[in-house]
């Protein structure tokens, strides 16, 4: 008899729904984007034409950002739940058995859509409901309790509770919560670049061999250091992967990385980022709790402008970034929308440039 509304069907939303079913509670899932198959057209549009659908893209839609950007299954939060159980559920729904034993389990963007659609079928078979193209535009609050939501400005859904699993990029939900007087706190995050290398270079460094043995996987790395009381680190490292446009707004540019299950691209890439907090977004203080969000938006809009108001990405050779000069040529890249030579050392905030510059010299010795 109990019902819970889940807003968003990325990893958090999917597993919340499965857990509710185990507890005998009916999940009603509302997803602003499309189902996993229908999303493909919008991904093609952003890759080939530079057209961003703000409701259906690499971040929004069934399965969330992970479906079409990798499915790496790493976490440091080993004391917060039964990770083996989560991996077993993924295997139950079509993921390869190896993820149960690999130290760095990975499903791959080519296999995840089937896993995601199988999880959807489980939820529906067990009595759950899923609505796509259903963007939450308002909250129904009675006596300081959220009892439901409004979808697409017209349809009302009521339930015993509401779970928000909307993801990092759903800024409209943050603004809505603020309008409703619900307390928000800004939290630190990280800003930086995507750094790309030939995969054979990473293999040679990690395996100490000119040629990678066919039984060895594409090599990965994990780098971290402290610069001026800020963490600088690699994350979401994609061996044998590609860089993709992960923008959720038509006037912004954001990049992410992914690998298919075989990890057989000739390129490797990872995020290379500097942690930021209220010390770094001081000039946006007038925006209150959204100061960090404005800091983030300005960087993404600047990148979009430099790319000619397309999904073309500003890029620079590492050596030129360190020497603070424009690259006269750029090497081949996996990024399909293309790159344009740009002075990233001038475009990015000074503390980000400083952190990445110092870290690169440290990482070069590791």
């Amino acid at each position: 008899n109990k019902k819970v509304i889940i807003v968003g069907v990325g990893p958090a939303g999917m597993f919340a729904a499965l857990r509710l079913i185990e507890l005998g509670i009916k999940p009603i899932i509302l997803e602003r984007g499309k189902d996993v198959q229908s999303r493909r057209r919008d991904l093609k549009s952003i890759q080939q034409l530079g057209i961003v659908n703000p409701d259906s893209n690499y971040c929004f839609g069934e399965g969330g950002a992970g479906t079409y950007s990798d499915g790496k299954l790493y976490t440091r939060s080993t004391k917060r739940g039964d990770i083996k159980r989560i991996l077993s559920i993924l295997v139950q729904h079509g993921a390869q058995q190896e993820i149960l034993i690999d130290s760095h389990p990975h499903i791959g963007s080519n296999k995840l859509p089937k896993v995601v659609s199988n999880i959807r079928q489980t939820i529906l078979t067990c009595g759950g409901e899923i609505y796509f193209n259903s963007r939450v535009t308002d909250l129904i609050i009675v006596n300081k309790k959220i009892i439901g939501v409004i979808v697409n400005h017209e349809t009302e859904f009521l339930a015993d509770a509401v779970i928000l699993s909307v993801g990092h990029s759903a800024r409209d939900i943050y603004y809505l919560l603020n309008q409703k007087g619900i307390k928000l706190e800004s939290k630190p995050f990280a800003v930086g670049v995507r750094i790309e290398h030939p995969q054979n270079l990473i293999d040679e460094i990690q395996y100490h061999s000119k040629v990678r043995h066919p039984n060895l996987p594409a090599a990965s790395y994990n780098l971290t250091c402290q610069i001026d009381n800020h963490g600088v680190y690699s994350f979401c490292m994609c061996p044998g992967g590609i860089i993709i446009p992960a923008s959720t707004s038509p006037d912004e540019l954001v990049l992410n990385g992914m690998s298919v299950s075989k990890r057989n691209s000739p390129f490797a890439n990872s995020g290379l980022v500097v942690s930021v907090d209220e010390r770094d977004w001081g000039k946006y203080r007038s925006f209150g709790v959204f100061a960090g969000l404005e800091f983030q938006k300005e960087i993404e809009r600047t990148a979009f402008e430099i790319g000619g108001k397309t999904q073309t990405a500003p890029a620079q050779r590492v050596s030129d970034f360190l020497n603070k000069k424009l690259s006269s040529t750029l090497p081949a890249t996996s990024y399909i929308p293309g790159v344009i030579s740009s002075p990233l050392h001038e475009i990015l905030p000074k503390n980000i440039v400083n952190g990445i510059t110092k870290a690169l010299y440290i990482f070069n010795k590791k």
Side-chain angles (χ1 to χ4, degrees), residues 32 52 54-55 57 59-60 135-137 164-179 184 189-191 246-255 289-302:
R32 68 191 290 169
V52 178
D55 288 320
N57 44 60
C59 288
F60 297 148
R135 182 174 180 163
V136 169
T137 50
L164 291 180
S165 53
V166 296
H168 152 281
S169 299
R171 295 170 181 157
D172 55 323
I173 292 291
Y174 300 149
Y175 295 133
L176 175 60
L177 293 171
N178 194 49
Q179 288 166 17
L184 298 174
F189 56 101
V191 174
S247 309
T248 56
S249 206
D251 60 349
E252 295 171 2
L253 178 68
V254 186
L255 304 189
V289 74
F290 295 124
L293 219 54
E294 291 301 317
F295 172 75
Q296 177 194 43
K297 281 160 68 174
E298 183 173 313
I299 293 171
E300 293 172 7
R301 286 175 180 163
T302 300

Side-chain angles (χ1 to χ4, degrees), residues 10-232:
M14 285 192 297
F15 280 93
L18 293 174
R19 185 68 184 128
L20 287 168
I21 287 167
E22 290 173 346
L23 297 170
I25 300 169
K26 180 187 183 87
I28 301 172
I29 296 173
L30 305 171
E31 168 57 51
R32 68 191 290 169
K34 301 176 184 177
D35 66 82
V36 74
Q37 286 82 10
S38 301
R39 283 177 73 185
R40 290 180 188 273
R41 293 189 201 95
D42 298 307
L43 303 187
K44 185 177 180 181
S45 289
I46 193 171
Q47 287 269 35
Q48 307 285 348
L49 307 173
I51 298 171
V52 178
N53 179 338
D55 288 320
S56 178
N57 44 60
Y58 273 101
C59 288
F60 297 148
E62 185 180 22
T67 305
Y68 288 108
S69 50
D70 219 56
K72 285 188 288 291
L73 305 171
Y74 311 165
T75 178
R76 296 179 181 87
S77 305
T78 52
K79 296 178 181 176
R80 292 169 64 179
D82 185 353
I83 293 169
K84 195 85 168 183
R85 178 176 160 273
I86 299 299
L87 298 180
S88 296
I89 290 172
L90 290 167
V91 170
Q92 177 191 339
H93 289 91
Q96 56 270 38
Q97 293 272 347
E98 286 83 358
I99 68 171
L100 298 175
I101 56 172
D102 287 347
S103 59
H104 289 98
H106 172 252
I107 297 177
S109 298
N110 53 324
K111 297 190 175 182
L112 273 160
K114 184 63 176 173
V115 175
V116 167
S117 61
N118 287 344
I119 291 175
R120 180 213 313 156
Q121 200 52 53
T122 292
I123 293 167
L124 294 174
T125 301
C126 294
E129 297 176 16
I130 302 178
Y131 299 89
F132 296 108
N133 300 303
S134 299
R135 182 174 180 163
V136 169
T137 50
D138 205 355
L139 305 174
I140 302 170
I141 302 176
V142 176
N143 297 326
K144 295 191 174 183
K145 176 178 168 63
I146 299 175
I147 63 163
V149 299
I150 305 290
V151 167
N152 298 335
H153 300 287
E154 55 184 12
T155 309
E156 187 177 278
F157 287 84
L158 299 175
D160 296 281
V162 176
I163 293 174
L164 291 180
S165 53
V166 296
H168 152 281
S169 299
R171 295 170 181 157
D172 55 323
I173 292 291
Y174 300 149
Y175 295 133
L176 175 60
L177 293 171
N178 194 49
Q179 288 166 17
K180 294 291 182 179
I182 294 167
K183 185 177 179 182
L184 298 174
E185 293 179 6
S186 59
K187 58 178 282 189
F189 56 101
V191 174
V193 296
R194 210 80 205 170
I195 185 165
E196 187 168 58
H197 332 268
Q199 180 61 47
N200 58 14
L201 172 67
I202 304 304
D203 291 341
E204 184 178 339
I205 292 168
Q206 297 293 67
Y207 293 138
H208 304 282
S209 173
K210 284 286 183 186
V211 180
R212 185 177 91 221
H213 190 280
N215 288 349
L216 289 171
S220 64
Y221 59 80
N222 179 29
L223 296 161
T224 182
C225 66
Q226 282 284 322
I227 304 290
D228 301 332
N229 296 315
H230 286 71
V232 186

